[in-house]
Amino acid sequence: MMKVIVPVYDNNRIAEGFNRTPDVCIFDPLASDAEEVRTFVPWRTIIPPGSKITKQMREMGINAVLTSQIQLLALNLFVENGIDVYKSDGNDLEYNLALYSDRKLTLFTSTEALENSAICNGSCDSCSSDDKCEK
């Protein structure tokens, strides 16, 4: 079971992506200390603007993302760098972490990410990635 990062709001709801919230939950199902299983931190304190997101995540031992939405560019970036992207079932954090632990979540597909891109008209003005967005 891999360490996973989840964009969150109110410390108990899954956000619609990292650009939609300032906070994340890092879930480590193998942590021995109960306080380290779920760590809530401001997103930009662990991945500063302009940094290589996938490199930072790998250095932290994070090998998966759990989110309710993702853009195709971001999905491709994560997948190409060996980071799995799981689709949440609703926005309840505890419920989805239990599903993740039980290996009952599915990976995002390119088709689903493309549908998400259509929702925001393909705009990536607020996306943060290793590559620059080209319009």
Side-chain angles (χ1 to χ4, degrees):
M1 185 63 43
M2 302 177 281
K3 192 184 289 188
V4 64
I5 191 167
V6 187
V8 297
Y9 64 96
D10 296 335
N11 282 354
N12 65 357
R13 297 283 176 218
I14 297 175
E16 296 178 345
F18 296 106
N19 61 334
R20 305 269 189 210
T21 184
D23 300 313
V24 294
C25 171
I26 300 172
F27 177 64
D28 185 356
L30 303 178
S32 58
D33 184 346
E35 291 182 12
E36 292 180 12
V37 172
R38 286 174 196 77
T39 306
F40 295 91
V41 294
W43 168 237
R44 289 300 176 194
T45 62
I46 58 169
I47 314 256
S51 67
K52 302 279 187 189
I53 186 172
T54 54
K55 180 181 178 202
Q56 293 287 109
M57 288 171 64
R58 281 193 311 268
E59 287 175 359
M60 295 174 64
I62 298 169
N63 299 313
V65 170
L66 170 56
T67 187
S68 62
Q69 293 185 8
I70 193 160
Q71 301 298 311
L72 184 58
L73 177 68
L75 177 64
N76 289 339
L77 175 74
F78 287 131
V79 170
E80 288 171 5
N81 285 280
I83 296 171
D84 293 330
V85 181
Y86 291 92
K87 183 178 181 181
S88 68
D89 181 359
N91 69 355
D92 183 274
L93 179 63
E94 291 303 318
Y95 174 71
N96 278 279
L97 292 180
L99 290 175
Y100 176 76
S101 294
D102 292 340
R103 300 172 195 258
K104 293 184 178 177
L105 289 175
T106 59
L107 293 170
F108 256 102
T109 65
S110 296
T111 301
E112 291 166 328
L114 194 55
E115 289 170 1
N116 287 333
S117 296
I119 291 170
C120 74
N121 298 320
S123 171
C124 56
D125 288 341
S126 61
C127 290
S128 299
S129 69
D130 288 348
D131 299 317
K132 298 289 183 204
C133 174
E134 294 180 20
K135 294 188 178 189

